[in-house]
Amino acid sequence: MHWLPKTKLGKINFILFFIAIIGCGALFLLWQHSKTSYDSVDAAQDTVKDPEVATKKSPFKGITYIKENSKTHQYTLTYPRTGIQAVDDSIQQAIYAQRDAFLDSDATRFHATISATTSGQYISFLIKNDLFSATNEVKSTVQTFTYNRHEKKLVTLQQFIKTDARLNRLSKEIRTEIQRQNEHLQWSAKKIDNLTQDTWETFENFGLDGKKFTVYYEPHTLANHLSVISIPIAAIDKKRDTAVFRLNTHGKKYVALTFDDGPNKAVTPRILETLKKHDVKATFFMLGSSVEEAPALANAVLKDGHEIGNHSYGHENLSKMSGAEAEANINKANQLIKDATGSEPLTIRPPYGARNAGLEQLSAQPVILWGVDTLDWKTRNAASTLKEVQQHVYPGAIILMHDIHPTTADALDAVLTYLQQQGYTCVTVSQLEGLR
Ligand code: ZN
């Protein structure tokens, strides 16, 4: 090694010099490398970085949320990714269809936000699409996707519900739930009926959440805001695979007249007389306590060929009781009606339309609400009672009246004349609902 410096110090200096050169070379290479990667980022910003695409965590194992944010076009999209190609493709296609509709529209901004619920092997995603106008008015629509984690595919309503009978039951349950929430009748019976027709399209925006089946109504359909209507999944399960309700009376104009809160010694006989005059059968939802006071009158109602339903013992709010308490109340009224007439009532109408979910699980008697409230209890005026019927009756309607108000008895003749002129046939509730 004759070319190395001869002194020890010289050797050290030489080695340090060598290290410095290698170091500088390495730094240069690093700089070059970082320079090229910055260059590629710059290039990306110019071409593909809009929209920005980020992957976010979801609450569910194996599922991520994709967030796309376009500054240029003023939209953000959020949607799930399952890792199953076919599933992800169809979700993305549906989301992009909304985005493209926005891009073709006059709207200035578009936000799609996600929320999710789960039930057993299912995860339901709700995408809310908000379109903003230049004046910042918002128009919202929803899209739902229900993913079966076990089978690794999306489930349509038809695949989940399977039979027409269960669709029919779903329609009835959702309708009843809307009516229950609609105590002050802000929505007309006809509107509720139209929004709960037993077609697959009616309920396509659905989700599963624990033990609940949820239907979403877009803003400005049922209400101004997004409406969420839930029923127990058990109410539409496979065990209940029989149709119980015919919302659509297939062109035939049937209605069911119902009289609540009796029997009443002053009013019920007058109602019976008018019904007989028109040869019409109706349904009487009786209170156990009133039957206790007038058992012969209850019996006369049945003997005339009318149907009797259970309206609780003393007009209690069953929804405020435990399932067992409500059951005891209903059983007491059932027994009093049976003692008076020889037969048990076929159906239940809970006072105020306030249902007790526990009772419904236990009871074999279907719960019957109404589609047209004549408000006879409120107006106590025969002309108003007739007017309500004229304005709101529709084929398949269940009409609510009360055989405790003399004004209702006053109105009935004109109500029946009107219905017959309009081509309606009056049937009992169980005939209308296909119970027998
Ligand atoms: Zn009542």
Side-chain angles (χ1 to χ4, degrees):
M1 299 285 192
H2 56 91
W3 49 271
L4 276 173
K6 292 201 168 50
T7 63
K8 200 175 180 183
L9 188 66
K11 278 180 184 164
I12 289 169
N13 276 337
F14 182 78
I15 288 164
L16 282 174
F17 177 66
F18 206 73
I19 289 170
I21 292 218
I22 290 168
C24 284
L27 278 172
F28 179 77
L29 284 174
L30 259 173
W31 174 71
Q32 276 292 321
H33 177 77
S34 61
K35 186 165 177 286
T36 46
S37 54
Y38 276 125
D39 284 345
S40 62
V41 169
D42 285 342
Q45 258 168 355
D46 291 341
T47 55
V48 293
K49 217 197 158 191
D50 193 87
E52 248 173 60
V53 180
T55 304
K56 295 185 170 297
K57 268 171 110 175
S58 89
F60 310 103
K61 201 172 156 235
I63 290 175
T64 52
Y65 286 165
I66 304 299
K67 189 166 182 183
E68 292 189 22
N69 182 12
S70 167
K71 290 197 173 78
T72 317
H73 298 291
Q74 293 285 300
Y75 69 77
T76 57
L77 312 175
T78 317
Y79 54 90
R81 181 164 287 167
T82 62
I84 306 299
Q85 189 77 40
V87 171
D88 294 342
D89 285 353
S90 58
I91 292 177
Q92 202 180 42
Q93 261 175 32
I95 300 293
Y96 281 3
Q98 294 292 315
R99 176 203 61 188
D100 293 345
F102 156 68
L103 293 174
D104 287 342
S105 77
D106 297 334
T108 53
R109 277 186 302 136
F110 177 61
H111 287 194
T113 49
I114 190 168
S115 58
T117 53
T118 179
S119 172
Q121 74 261 42
Y122 300 103
I123 304 173
S124 293
F125 299 102
L126 172 69
I127 314 275
K128 189 160 172 276
N129 299 310
D130 292 330
L131 274 165
F132 295 85
S133 73
T135 53
N136 231 16
E137 277 167 280
V138 60
K139 198 171 152 248
S140 305
T141 56
V142 295
Q143 288 171 287
T144 59
F145 304 95
T146 290
Y147 176 59
N148 185 329
R149 274 191 276 197
H150 292 175
E151 294 177 9
K152 301 198 183 307
K153 60 182 192 193
L154 292 175
V155 186
T156 63
L157 179 70
Q158 194 160 4
Q159 287 163 344
F160 183 75
I161 296 286
K162 294 194 175 80
T163 68
D164 285 346
R166 290 176 71 204
L167 172 66
N168 187 273
R169 190 176 279 276
L170 170 67
S171 147
K172 185 215 166 209
E173 291 289 333
I174 293 289
R175 182 173 188 268
T176 306
E177 181 55 28
I178 292 173
Q179 283 175 338
R180 200 184 65 77
Q181 292 185 18
N182 188 28
E183 273 182 49
H184 309 293
L185 286 169
Q186 301 296 313
W187 309 312
S188 78
K190 200 168 210 165
K191 181 173 170 180
I192 296 174
D193 241 36
N194 285 336
L195 290 170
T196 53
Q197 288 294 327
D198 53 348
T199 71
W200 299 109
E201 295 75 34
T202 305
F203 306 108
E204 65 184 358
N205 285 328
F206 76 101
L208 304 165
D209 183 4
K211 292 189 161 132
K212 289 182 297 176
F213 182 97
T214 297
V215 174
Y216 299 99
Y217 286 97
E218 293 184 337
H220 304 289
T221 52
L222 190 58
N224 288 339
H225 50 80
L226 174 70
S227 306
V228 181
I229 305 291
S230 295
I231 57 161
I233 293 176
I236 48 165
D237 68 14
K238 292 187 198 78
K239 280 174 281 175
R240 301 183 175 223
D241 202 356
T242 48
V244 292
F245 192 72
R246 287 176 294 141
L247 258 187
N248 184 340
T249 45
H250 306 290
K252 287 179 194 143
K253 292 171 84 173
Y254 290 123
V255 286
L257 295 183
T258 63
F259 298 94
D260 287 14
D261 299 356
N264 177 290
K265 283 175 185 166
V267 180
T268 309
R270 292 183 56 202
I271 302 272
L272 290 177
E273 202 178 303
T274 310
L275 291 172
K276 196 173 275 171
K277 181 185 157 193
H278 289 265
D279 194 21
V280 156
K281 303 299 179 215
T283 306
F284 291 76
F285 286 97
M286 295 185 178
L287 295 173
S289 56
S290 300
V291 173
E292 212 167 20
E293 282 172 27
L297 188 51
N299 194 38
V301 170
L302 197 78
K303 287 286 162 304
D304 271 9
H306 304 297
E307 188 171 302
I308 296 179
N310 186 327
H311 196 44
S312 81
Y313 175 71
H315 216 270
E316 295 84 1
N317 186 334
L318 302 178
S319 73
K320 298 206 165 134
M321 297 179 179
S322 70
E325 280 174 324
E327 195 191 7
N329 183 300
I330 288 297
N331 285 344
K332 191 175 175 186
N334 278 343
Q335 191 58 50
L336 284 161
I337 292 167
K338 195 178 176 188
D339 290 347
T341 65
S343 40
E344 278 212 10
L346 290 168
T347 58
I348 298 172
R349 172 175 284 164
Y352 317 105
R355 310 205 294 175
N356 182 304
L359 171 70
E360 275 181 66
Q361 292 294 310
L362 294 166
S363 176
Q365 294 160 291
V367 167
I368 304 294
L369 298 186
W370 56 87
V372 177
D373 185 350
T374 60
L375 303 173
D376 61 338
W377 53 276
K378 196 161 117 186
T379 61
R380 309 275 179 100
N381 178 300
S384 305
T385 303
L386 173 63
K387 208 172 124 202
E388 288 295 327
V389 172
Q390 289 171 331
Q391 284 179 344
H392 299 296
V393 70
Y394 57 92
I398 296 178
I399 301 176
L400 172 64
M401 289 186 277
H402 297 80
D403 56 330
I404 52 169
H405 305 305
T407 46
T408 301
D410 296 343
L412 188 58
D413 192 39
V415 167
L416 289 172
T417 301
Y418 174 78
L419 291 175
Q420 281 161 350
Q421 279 168 356
Q422 296 297 309
Y424 282 100
T425 301
C426 296
V427 295
T428 66
V429 155
S430 64
Q431 287 171 328
L432 184 70
E433 307 228 336
L435 294 170
R436 65 174 186 189

